[in-house]
């Protein structure tokens, strides 16, 4: 029995060591790749050999970085309420977080949680490996001194990224959708306390109530649900609409001037521009702004006031 135990323990340790070495190699390879690209991509190379630079995906590959910076500039209260190093009363703010809806692989959440030390809750039906996304997608785009600093930390503490995420990040693996207004509130009031539960999942309901800001970057089918939830709970939000899904959401209509400009006619929402107008029409306090990246870059936001 003792012999069998002695043979098992080294194997377990070896697997863990291999896992840690794999993380370090992934980081080193990502940094080396970025360095090689910056050294070899001359203007002629970009024009002739690097066809990826002409693709749509390459033009907005930094959208998460630009969006995160824009969020912190536009909503400074988020830093005060969601920062893990904030001196604000913990009894009041300990549950406050940024709520990232349809966060996908988690790059935006990774930037907010690890680069800006904010508490983040992400909702997406697909489990995300945010630590891997941070090491392979975010770190290579960071300044060199940040990359070298992280390398040194990982040498001493291989689980450093995972440990930091455990402190500030969590994911609810589910969809984000809301009930219709007819199913939510009684006829005698529209206050949140007078309304029925907006979400069937209690964890989602709690995440919305404790959100300092609700965000959705290309949140697809959840985009309108973010707006409706923010209005119901008086929560600041920002969305960047992308796909319209006109056959899935047939209830969406806007009113536009007819050909003579004399009266309004009802038109089904089918284009991105119509979708943005449809969302803006929900409340005249909403604002619209272009973000500094290409592609779908129209941000729609409200400060909750």
């Amino acid at each position: 029995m003792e012999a069998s135990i002695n043979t098992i323990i080294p194997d377990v340790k070896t697997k863990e060591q291999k896992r840690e070495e794999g993380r370090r190699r992934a980081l080193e390879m990502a940094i080396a790749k970025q360095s090689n690209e910056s050294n070899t991509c001359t203007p002629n190379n970009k024009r002739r050999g690097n066809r990826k630079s002409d693709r749509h995906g390459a033009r907005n590959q930094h959208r998460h970085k630009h969006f995160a910076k824009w969020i912190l500039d536009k909503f400074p209260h988020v830093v005060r309420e969601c920062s893990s190093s904030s001196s604000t009363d913990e009894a009041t703010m300990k549950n406050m977080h940024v709520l990232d809806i349809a966060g996908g692989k988690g790059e935006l959440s990774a930037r907010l949680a690890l680069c800006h030390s904010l508490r983040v809750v992400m909702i997406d039906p697909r489990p995300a490996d945010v630590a891997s996304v941070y090491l392979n997608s975010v770190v290579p785009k960071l300044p060199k001194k940040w990359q070298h600093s992280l390398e040194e930390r990982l040498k001493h503490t291989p689980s450093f990224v995972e440990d930091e995420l455990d402190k500030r990040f969590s994911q609810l693996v589910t969809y984000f959708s809301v009930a219709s207004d007819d199913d939510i509130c009684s006829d005698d009031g529209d206050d949140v306390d007078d309304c029925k539960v907006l979400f069937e999942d209690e964890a989602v309901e709690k995440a919305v109530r404790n959100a300092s800001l609700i965000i959705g970057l290309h949140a697809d089918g959840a985009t309108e649900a973010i707006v409706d939830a923010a209005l119901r709970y008086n929560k600041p939000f920002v969305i960047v609409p992308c796909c319209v899904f006109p056959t899935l959401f047939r209830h969406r209509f806007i009113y536009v001037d007819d050909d003579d400009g004399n009266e309004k006619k009802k038109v089904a929402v089918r284009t991105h521009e119509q979708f943005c107008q449809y969302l803006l029409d929900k409340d005249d306090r909403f604002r619209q702004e272009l973000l500094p990246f290409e592609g779908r870059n129209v941000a729609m936001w409200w400060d909750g006031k």
Side-chain angles (χ1 to χ4, degrees):
M1 179 65 70
E2 291 181 359
S4 61
I5 294 176
N6 290 334
T7 57
I8 292 174
I9 293 177
D11 290 339
V12 173
K13 290 183 178 179
T14 300
K15 289 180 180 179
E16 182 61 28
Q17 289 172 352
K18 289 181 178 179
R19 192 177 295 113
E20 293 170 0
E21 290 173 0
R23 294 194 192 102
R24 287 197 296 269
R25 285 199 301 269
L27 177 61
E28 292 170 357
M29 291 172 62
I31 294 174
K33 180 180 178 182
Q34 184 202 35
S35 178
N36 290 335
E37 289 177 351
S38 62
N39 291 334
T40 60
C41 286
T42 63
N44 289 335
N45 288 336
K46 288 183 179 180
R47 184 166 56 252
R48 295 177 183 176
N50 188 12
R51 295 181 60 85
K52 184 178 179 181
S53 63
D54 296 330
R55 295 174 56 192
H56 173 78
R59 293 200 302 269
N60 66 359
Q61 61 182 330
H62 296 291
R63 64 186 182 276
H64 300 98
K65 177 182 72 174
H66 292 306
F67 190 42
K69 183 178 184 302
W70 184 90
I71 287 172
L72 299 180
D73 291 340
K74 187 67 66 175
F75 301 95
H77 75 279
V78 169
V79 177
R80 183 178 67 254
E81 295 178 355
C82 304
S83 175
S84 59
S85 60
S86 175
S87 59
T88 312
D89 184 9
E90 292 185 5
T92 304
M93 300 300 180
K94 65 179 181 179
N95 292 321
M96 300 296 285
H97 52 252
V98 176
L99 184 58
D100 183 9
I101 305 298
K105 294 181 179 179
E107 182 170 344
L108 181 58
S109 288
R111 284 187 171 275
L112 294 173
L114 295 171
C115 298
H116 301 284
S117 299
L118 300 179
R119 289 184 293 272
V120 180
V121 174
M122 188 177 85
I123 296 180
D124 195 282
R126 300 157 297 182
D129 186 353
V130 178
S132 177
V133 168
Y134 176 72
L135 290 172
N136 294 302
S137 299
V138 177
V139 173
K141 303 172 188 174
L142 297 178
K144 293 293 185 181
K145 62 179 181 180
W146 284 33
Q147 296 179 12
H148 296 318
S149 175
L150 179 60
E151 281 186 282
E152 291 301 317
R153 285 180 176 272
L154 290 174
K155 288 179 181 178
H156 297 288
T157 310
S159 62
F160 171 74
V161 174
E162 289 84 353
D163 294 343
E164 293 300 302
L165 283 172
D166 287 341
K167 297 175 185 176
R168 295 188 288 271
F169 173 82
S170 62
Q171 180 184 0
L172 299 178
V173 183
T174 185
Y175 290 92
F176 187 82
S177 60
V178 299
S180 65
D181 286 344
D182 294 337
D183 297 330
I184 298 170
C185 291
S186 59
D187 296 333
D188 56 352
D190 59 357
D191 186 80
V192 173
D193 293 334
D194 297 329
C195 298
K196 299 176 183 178
V197 174
L198 192 59
F199 303 93
E200 294 182 1
D201 191 325
E202 292 183 3
V204 174
E205 175 86 9
K206 182 179 179 181
V208 173
R209 288 183 179 273
N210 292 337
S212 177
L213 174 70
I214 307 176
I215 61 178
L217 176 62
H218 300 168
D220 293 338
T223 300
E224 185 178 3
I226 294 173
V227 177
D228 293 340
L231 279 173
R232 179 61 59 193
Y233 291 96
N234 292 319
K235 293 291 183 179
F237 79 89
V238 55
I239 55 172
V240 183
C242 185
C243 300
V244 181
F245 303 110
T247 57
L248 184 61
F249 298 97
R250 298 177 180 271
H251 65 280
R252 295 171 176 168
F253 292 90
I254 60 172
Y255 290 90
V256 300
D257 294 331
D258 62 12
D259 295 336
D260 298 328
N262 296 326
E263 58 183 45
K264 299 284 187 180
K265 63 178 180 180
K266 192 176 182 180
V267 176
V269 172
R270 303 194 64 83
T271 68
H272 179 262
E273 183 180 1
Q274 291 172 339
F275 186 34
C276 290
Q277 186 60 52
Y278 168 79
L279 295 171
L280 277 176
D281 289 344
K282 284 178 174 284
D283 197 293
D284 58 11
R285 294 171 294 179
F286 292 174
R287 297 291 178 265
Q288 187 171 282
E289 189 172 334
L290 290 180
L291 297 178
F293 57 81
E294 296 187 41
R296 299 300 192 193
N297 63 347
V298 178
M300 205 167 301
W301 60 277
W302 177 47
D303 60 6
K305 301 176 182 177

